Amino acid sequence: MAKAVSIQIDGIEVQAEEGQNLVDAIRGAGVFIPSLCYYEHIQPPLGTCRVCTVLVNGKPTASCTATVKPGMKVVTQTKELEDVRKGMVEMLFAEGNHFCPACEKSGDCDLQGLGYRLGVTATRFPHLFVNRLIDYRPERMVIDHNRCIRCRRCVEEVHTDAGKAVFSFVNRGKDTEVAIDYKAETELTEAQALQAMHLCPVGAILVRGKSLARPVGERKYDQPGQGWEKEEGAIEVPAPKPGAPKKVVATTSLAGCFGCHMSLLDIDEELLDVVELVDFNKSPITDVKAFEGRCDVGIIEGGCCNSENVEVLRAFREHCDILIGVGECAIWGGLPAMRNFIPIEECLLEAYGRTTELEDSKVVIPKHEDLPELLDRVYGCQEIVRMDYFIPGCPPDARHIWKVLKHALFGQPYALTHEEFKYD
Amino acid sequence: MQPATDLPDRRTLLNDLWAIQLEKRHISDQGIKTLAARYQISEVEIEGVVSFYHFFHRQPTGQYTIYVNNSVTAVHSGMGAVISAFEEATGARIGQTDPTGTFGLYETSCIGLCDLEPACLINFQPFTHLTPQKVKALVWQLRRGVPVEQLANPIPQHLRYQLPPDRAVLLRPFVPGETLKPLLQLDPEEVLSTLEASGLRGMGGAFFPVGKKWRLCREQPGNEKYILCNADEGEPGTFKDRMLLQYLPGLVIEGMIHAAYATGAAEGWIYLRAEYRWLLPELEAAVAAYYDRGWLGAQIPAKTPFRFDIHIQLGAGAYVCGEETAMMNSLEGLRGEPRVRTYFPVERGYRQKPTVVNNVETFAAAARVLEVGAERFAALGTPQMKGTRLLSIAGDCERPGIYEIEWGTRLAEVLDWAGAKSTLAVQISGPSGQCIDPNYGDSCFDWDDLRCGGAVTIFNTQRDLLQILRNFSNFFAEESCGVCTPCRAGNFIFTRKLDKLAKGLGRADDYVEIQNWSNIMRQTSRCGLGRAATHALLTAMEHFPGYFSRYFTPNGVAGAQPFDLEAAVSDYRETVNKTLGTTKTN
Ligand SMILES: Cc1cc2nc3c(=O)[nH]c(=O)nc-3n(C[C@H](O)[C@H](O)[C@H](O)COP(=O)(O)O)c2cc1C
Ligand code: SF4
Ligand code: SF4
Ligand code: SF4
Ligand code: FES
């Protein structure tokens, strides 16, 4: 049995086992520390994701790569460290292509879970939109490189009975990715393949026919995690002061599917309160097409895929005091951004340049002065104008929208629940 | 990540790959299969090693493989025209071979010839001061079958500034074996205390005290210990190690012999970057000469005679392999990824055994310390930085080359010696160092001022700072080992950010964002590459605050971001025009 020694975590003396992994020691002391690549029995630790960064004796260190030494001073909770760790998670989202609503692992994904836990609504970094492979060549597996966070677990852990590696990193620098050995993969047993899928923290390794096991509601991150704030009772809507002008709200759907607007209407009977309190200017709800004056809050669904979207969004910014982006599409492009990997020429030719008819027909790509022009890719709203709030989800939970809206209109505080904060 | 001991020894893998690459001009599927069988590992693992190093190719690279240096000094001295000339003369497009497979033309990171730019390697032989005319003549001669070695340029020593004999340390007359003589009188312990007394620090960038490092290694239990000479010199703009290896290889070897004696290591490696492959025959001859004299091998004369062998390992193109633990992985035949810092190399290094890694110049300086004595060495320099340092000076100046300066020398003086005129900025220590305004304050080379890693690169007022910084940023995005998030993704994100600035789509907020993002990378990156990658950008923004604002768009409509709508719809318009009147396909 290892020796118990005393260390300091955030200024508090705690006991830990000498030589114990620092992540475990921190957690043992009841302090939350995120991790993604850390896998208890891999030695030496992988230390690839860096989301577990803390200060050890004043020096920034990935805590999973440190072990407990007597008297060490660990700082985990400063504003800066929290921002740095959150930045790491945001970077992984910006680097990959994470379309959670279309992902088999959604709800069971550690990256997503951390996004929820750290309250990532939008990444501070531009999404890179690199066209990554979905590899269907393995016999039993599918490897979706869009989702791989290069944690290296599969590289270290997945071997055939003969001891051969099944995965390896290939390339270098920004092009580094994981690759699978097609021959070794065929030598894996069913159980080994499933093990590979389960140890992957995200949805990058899938075993055909086995990837949609758990129903929504029973997935790992559907339930509140450690430290999630509980809902603090319903928020009272203040009665409008007699004679006070009603608040004005405008909404629009840009490159979205109207799903977020449906969710907005899902507020149910509370919608009636809303109508009491606010006027809708320019909104598909009222079909008012042009701004009639200043608005208190603008609600944007969808990103920008054409010139009209850009103009509308700019007009919203000009006329609204507060702009709220609702849903993944508004935040970074969302599902429409799946076209961002494909040159626009190819997209247009696929839509207008192919025919199944026998006779020759001409390519006619719609173009008219009344038609908006397509942008080279789909842009998130914050790339076009400054945004004030984002509400994640595809679509976001109606209660979440309502809380944010109330907050924005009346300056009331609100507490989100785990069930409301979702990307899918 | 670190080798499991039950796997077959992979140390020869890099050499095997080199043999295939040089013979077949690429590494074919068959080559991968053969090696996978030989080492009893999966093909994908071989693929992983091959794709890590940029001189290993999976596609044929031509009978003549041309690598044109794309470091910033090369760009400034006419790389673009040289590449065009090569394209025209060979028929190969950059990144490819010509249709006949005779010539392959590629860009590569700094090849350590920045005093002789534009330069390239053809079949790993150096060609310098290229011009379009020279390129044409060169290709013509190659086509006529003149051997590459015959055409290659001699590389001058370019010693531009030497200290007076009583102050010079490295650049003074060298008599082989001279620095080894004191060993006849000294115990290993006395060698260590001499070095400690000298105050000599490592010259590879981290400046760790040399005596202390060697002592830590000596104190480790066990007999299997290693000495590694870091001759990877990858930091763009640095070429002092190249000069030492070419003109004073004996001094470097003698430094390694001292290290072996002091630590008890019996085996040493020189990890030579592949860009210096042309130095290999001479270096091998130099090592052989030491064996001939009995200064290497089983019975090296000393107060207590000892055994020491030196091998040379050629890298294969990867800047990060200069990081000491990456270098150890590379020597072990793995991808050159820096290790997780659970141990120091002196505790567990190469093959998990205690290992001393030092820079080429460090070994040379250590040998000199034994020769001239700790006292004389320690009297030079400043209280914190003893002795001298070699500078590789390049860029916009009249006398690019090697300078031996005493620590404490002022930058202004050095620029003057070099003949730098209308200087806008000076890059200290290469892209991972500082980008400073030389007219700002009176900087000198010292511990808490310009702690220079060896490179001084000069830019005059004709140069575009942002273009320089983008060159650096692309370098890091390519050369990151890719293993940790902040460096792999962060450097990529920074290249996009700078592209945006260059398009005039920046905002004043970008200042704040760049600082925040850099701080994230600095705090989280696993090794020095990621931690230092934005150093130049940050210091440039600090020293040239006015410079960047010209890339900022004033905010238009309140709250609107700079966005070029015309540019964003141009692809669509082009496609419409291009397809007008064409027929559908099925
Ligand atoms: C990305 C990176 C690249 C490096 N490249 C080199 C190099 O080319 N040559 C070198 O001597 N040290 C290089 N270093 C420093 C080495 O890791 C190590 O500190 C050095 O070789 C130790 O030798 P010294 O104590 O003699 O300086 C590099 C470090 C990093 C992080
Ligand atoms: S669920 Fe996880 S892996 Fe899947 S898209 Fe979302 S973040 Fe990516
Ligand atoms: S495939 Fe999964 S386990 Fe493997 S490196 Fe990628 S994220 Fe990690
Ligand atoms: S900082 Fe960069 S080079 Fe260093 S380990 Fe991380 S990815 Fe590799
Ligand atoms: S969990 Fe520590 S680096 Fe990934």
Side-chain angles (χ1 to χ4, degrees), chain A residues 21 23 27 33-39 45-53 61-66 88 151 153, chain B residues 340 484-485 524 526:
Chain A
N21 190 292
V23 163
R27 289 181 180 160
I33 186 76
S35 70
L36 278 172
C37 67
Y38 180 50
Y39 204 57
L46 301 170
T48 54
C49 75
R50 319 304 283 180
V51 302
C52 63
T53 299
T61 308
S63 50
C64 70
T65 65
M88 233 12 41
C151 72
R153 282 186 181 180
Chain B
V340 172
C484 77
T485 311
T524 52
R526 180 194 280 195

Side-chain angles (χ1 to χ4, degrees), chain B residues 469-537:
Chain B
L469 294 164
R470 289 173 78 197
N471 177 292
F472 293 172
S473 175
N474 291 334
F475 169 77
F476 289 121
E478 294 297 328
E479 294 290 344
S480 151
C481 86
V483 94
C484 77
T485 311
C487 175
R488 180 189 63 241
N491 278 311
F492 196 2
I493 286 168
F494 263 103
T495 62
R496 294 277 178 94
K497 179 65 137 192
L498 295 184
D499 288 350
K500 211 174 138 188
L501 280 189
K503 282 186 197 146
L505 298 176
R507 308 160 294 160
D509 303 358
D510 283 329
Y511 265 127
V512 185
E513 247 173 35
I514 285 172
Q515 274 163 356
N516 173 272
W517 299 2
S518 302
N519 184 40
I520 291 176
M521 284 171 67
R522 207 169 45 227
Q523 303 228 13
T524 52
S525 289
R526 180 194 280 195
C527 86
L529 193 151
R531 285 198 289 265
T534 57
H535 198 190
L537 178 59

Side-chain angles (χ1 to χ4, degrees), chain B residues 389-405:
Chain B
R389 133 124 279 166
L390 294 184
L391 296 179
S392 326
I393 299 191
D396 297 314
C397 64
E398 283 160 14
R399 288 176 290 281
I402 303 289
Y403 292 64
E404 180 174 14
I405 60 149

Side-chain angles (χ1 to χ4, degrees), chain A residues 46 50 95 152 165 366 386, chain B residues 42 337 488 524 526 559 572:
Chain A
L46 301 170
R50 319 304 283 180
E95 182 191 31
R152 220 174 208 294
R386 181 174 52 73
Chain B
S42 308
E337 293 161 353
R488 180 189 63 241
T524 52
R526 180 194 280 195
Y572 163 73

Side-chain angles (χ1 to χ4, degrees), chain A residues 46 50 80 95 128 152 156 165 171-174 181 345 353 355 361 363 366 373 376 382 384 386, chain B residues 1 42 44 51-52 335 337 480 488 496 519 523-524 526 559 561 568 572-573 578 582 584-586:
Chain A
L46 301 170
R50 319 304 283 180
E80 185 184 358
E95 182 191 31
L128 293 171
R152 220 174 208 294
E156 292 300 316
N171 304 332
R172 190 185 68 202
K174 63 182 173 43
D181 192 288
E345 180 174 347
T355 177
S361 49
V363 176
E373 295 179 291
D376 54 345
Q382 59 182 339
I384 311 293
R386 181 174 52 73
Chain B
M1 173 168 320
S42 308
V44 77
S51 59
F52 189 85
R335 290 166 59 83
E337 293 161 353
S480 151
R488 180 189 63 241
R496 294 277 178 94
N519 184 40
Q523 303 228 13
T524 52
R526 180 194 280 195
Q561 306 279 26
Y572 163 73
R573 288 184 187 159
K578 214 159 99 183
T582 58
K584 288 188 182 182
T585 55
N586 41 28

